[in-house]
Amino acid sequence: MNIKQCPLCHNEVILGTALFSAELGEGVLIVKNVPATICPVCGEKWFDHETMIKLEAVADNARSRHALIEVVAFDAA
Ligand SMILES: [Zn+2]
């Protein structure tokens, strides 16, 4: 994914890190410091394909342990 302009507000996007959160059925997963493309104006964020694959692996892992609340840093994932 290579977004240069926010499709919502048409401002220029920046590279940074963001919080990723997902519901795991019975639990919640929060991953900090995820590399992302971010719109500084409206706060919309996008993760690239490689990052999504890693996030899915983290989610699968948390789900398999039936974690209720899992908070991890992306670097450690
Ligand atoms: Zn925007």
Side-chain angles (χ1 to χ4, degrees), residues 5-13 38-44 46:
Q5 198 185 48
C6 177
L8 302 177
C9 67
H10 306 292
N11 274 278
E12 217 171 291
V13 296
I38 302 162
C39 173
V41 178
C42 69
E44 191 65 28
W46 301 267

Side-chain angles (χ1 to χ4, degrees), residues 11-53:
N11 274 278
E12 217 171 291
V13 296
I14 56 168
L15 292 176
T17 57
L19 200 73
F20 171 84
S21 61
E23 288 184 48
L24 305 173
E26 57 188 308
V28 176
L29 169 69
I30 295 170
V31 186
K32 302 193 295 182
N33 300 324
V34 184
T37 302
I38 302 162
C39 173
V41 178
C42 69
E44 191 65 28
K45 58 192 183 243
W46 301 267
F47 302 110
D48 67 23
H49 184 65
E50 206 173 294
T51 301
M52 285 308 297
I53 289 171

